[in-house]
Amino acid sequence: MGVFSELKFSVPWGHIAAKAWGSLQGSPVLCLHGWLDNANSFDRLIPLLPQKFYYVAMDFGGHGLSSHHHPGFPYYQQNFVNEVCRVATALKWKRFSLIAHSFGGVVGGMEIHNLLTYRRRSIEHVFQVEAKQGKPRNVVRPEEMLQSFLKNNLQVGEECGKLLLERGTTKVPEGLVLNRDRRLGMPENHFELISKDQLAYFCKKIQARILMVKATQGYNYYRKVKEGEIEESMASMLNVVKSTLKERYQYVEIPGNHYVHMREPEHLARIVGNFLESNPAPQANL
C-alpha cells in the first residue's frame, strides 16, 4: 500500500490531480484533504488501512497539483462539491466511501446572521488578489518556506510540513514557489455559512452511515479562536447530526491534534479501517 499512482482528470478549467493506492477492483474510497493542504495529507494514513479498498486522494482546485480556477471568481464550497462529482464521474463511481479531514468534511456550524459580512469580505479579497495579478510569485529558500509554513500551521509538525510542501510547491532555480492559488488565502472565499435549520434539513437527506473522529486537541487549538466559541458551535452541530442520523452516526474522540491523521495515523487507522470494512461501498463497474 506504500505504492501509489498519479492521476489527472480533465475539467473545463484545466485538470484535477489525484493519487491512488490499491487495486482498481477494490471498493472505492475518495479522500478529501483540509483547507490549503493537498493529497499528500493521506500518505501516512492510507498505508495503514485495509488493503482491499481502492483509495483516491484528490487535490481540490487551486491546491496541490490541480489547476487554478478561472481568474475573476472566488472559490466557494459548492465549487469543490462540483469537483468531487466530476472525479467520481470520471472514475465511473456511482457509490463510494469518503474519508475527509477538516475542510474536506465541512458541513457548517456558523450562524446565518454573519452571511453579509462574510460575502463582502470574500468579494473584497478577490479584488485584492486581482490587483496583484501579473506580479511574480515570491521565490523562497526551502528552509524559509518550511519555517513560514510551520508558523502558519502550528500543529502540523516539521516532518508532515515537508510532506505537504513536497506536493504544494514547485522548485525553481532560486528556491520554491507555492502552487496554490492566491485566492485560497481567505477562508471567506470557500467556507459556506448555513443555519442550524439548514444543517438539520441537509442531514435528513443523508443516506450514508457517518463516522466522525475528533482529535482532543484539534481545531480549537489550531485556530486559536476566542475560548469556547468554536467548541459551542461544534457541539451544536454534533447534536443536530446525532439527533438526525441516530444509529447511522458514530462519534469517536482520539488523542492528538488537528493533524493527527498525519502525525499519529496509527491512532486513527484501526477506527477508520473497521468502519470501512463494516460499511464498504460496492466495487466499481469497470
Side-chain angles (χ1 to χ4, degrees):
M1 283 293 287
V3 178
F4 66 89
S5 57
E6 290 284 351
L7 305 176
K8 188 178 286 188
F9 305 97
S10 295
V11 292
W13 61 91
H15 70 269
I16 296 172
K19 55 197 304 186
W21 293 258
S23 168
L24 285 168
Q25 283 68 48
S27 296
V29 181
L30 186 63
C31 304
L32 309 178
H33 63 77
W35 179 47
L36 303 186
D37 293 339
N38 53 62
N40 277 12
S41 182
F42 298 99
D43 275 18
R44 295 187 169 189
L45 175 62
I46 288 176
L48 302 179
L49 298 180
Q51 299 187 21
K52 63 183 180 181
F53 293 87
Y54 181 53
Y55 302 92
V56 175
M58 59 183 283
D59 292 325
F60 284 130
H63 296 75
L65 303 180
S66 287
S67 298
H68 296 185
H69 286 188
H70 290 305
F73 294 90
Y75 287 81
Y76 289 134
Q77 190 174 323
Q78 61 263 32
N79 298 148
F80 300 121
V81 174
N82 176 297
E83 292 175 10
V84 169
C85 293
R86 288 178 183 275
V87 169
T89 299
L91 291 168
K92 299 181 180 179
W93 289 357
K94 293 184 178 179
R95 293 183 63 192
F96 53 94
S97 300
L98 282 174
I99 296 178
H101 171 241
S102 192
F103 173 68
V106 164
V107 289
M110 298 175 69
E111 291 303 319
I112 202 71
H113 64 256
N114 293 321
L115 183 60
L116 293 179
T117 300
Y118 196 75
R119 287 289 187 231
R120 185 182 69 248
R121 289 180 63 185
S122 173
I123 294 170
E124 289 173 350
H125 187 252
V126 169
F127 293 157
Q128 291 169 8
V129 171
E130 287 182 357
K132 297 179 181 178
Q133 293 301 323
K135 295 182 180 178
R137 286 213 168 224
N138 291 334
V139 179
V140 181
R141 291 182 295 105
E143 183 57 32
E144 185 181 343
M145 177 73 78
L146 176 61
Q147 293 307 314
S148 176
F149 184 83
L150 295 177
K151 182 179 178 181
N152 293 318
N153 299 272
L154 299 177
Q155 294 192 336
V156 71
E158 182 171 338
E159 199 169 350
C160 295
K162 289 179 179 178
L163 185 58
L164 290 171
L165 286 176
E166 178 183 297
R167 192 177 183 88
T169 59
T170 296
K171 292 181 180 179
V172 296
E174 297 81 12
L176 299 174
V177 294
L178 284 172
N179 291 341
R180 68 173 181 248
D181 196 318
R182 285 169 167 155
R183 288 170 290 176
L184 293 169
M186 287 284 283
E188 284 82 358
N189 283 358
H190 43 274
F191 282 89
E192 294 297 303
L193 293 173
I194 62 174
S195 68
K196 292 178 183 178
D197 289 342
Q198 287 174 312
L199 175 60
Y201 175 80
F202 294 152
C203 286
K204 289 177 182 177
K205 299 296 182 181
I206 295 174
Q207 300 179 28
R209 300 185 67 85
I210 298 216
L211 166 68
M212 180 172 287
V213 182
K214 181 177 181 291
T216 54
Q217 294 182 313
Y219 192 73
N220 290 12
Y221 291 81
Y222 181 64
R223 298 301 300 168
K224 285 189 172 180
V225 297
K226 185 171 60 177
E227 185 176 356
E229 182 180 327
I230 291 295
E231 189 62 41
E232 181 181 350
S233 179
M234 176 66 76
S236 176
M237 181 197 72
L238 294 181
N239 285 335
V240 171
V241 176
K242 181 179 179 180
S243 62
T244 305
L245 297 181
K246 297 182 173 62
E247 72 279 355
R248 291 187 288 115
Y249 171 73
Q250 181 181 349
Y251 174 80
V252 180
E253 286 195 11
I254 61 172
N257 66 25
H258 194 64
Y259 283 91
V260 66
H261 67 301
M262 295 189 72
R263 301 189 67 173
E264 299 165 300
E266 63 279 0
H267 289 177
L268 193 61
R270 181 181 57 82
I271 299 169
V272 173
N274 288 342
F275 183 82
L276 284 174
E277 291 192 306
S278 62
N279 302 276
Q283 295 181 349
N285 295 321
L286 301 176

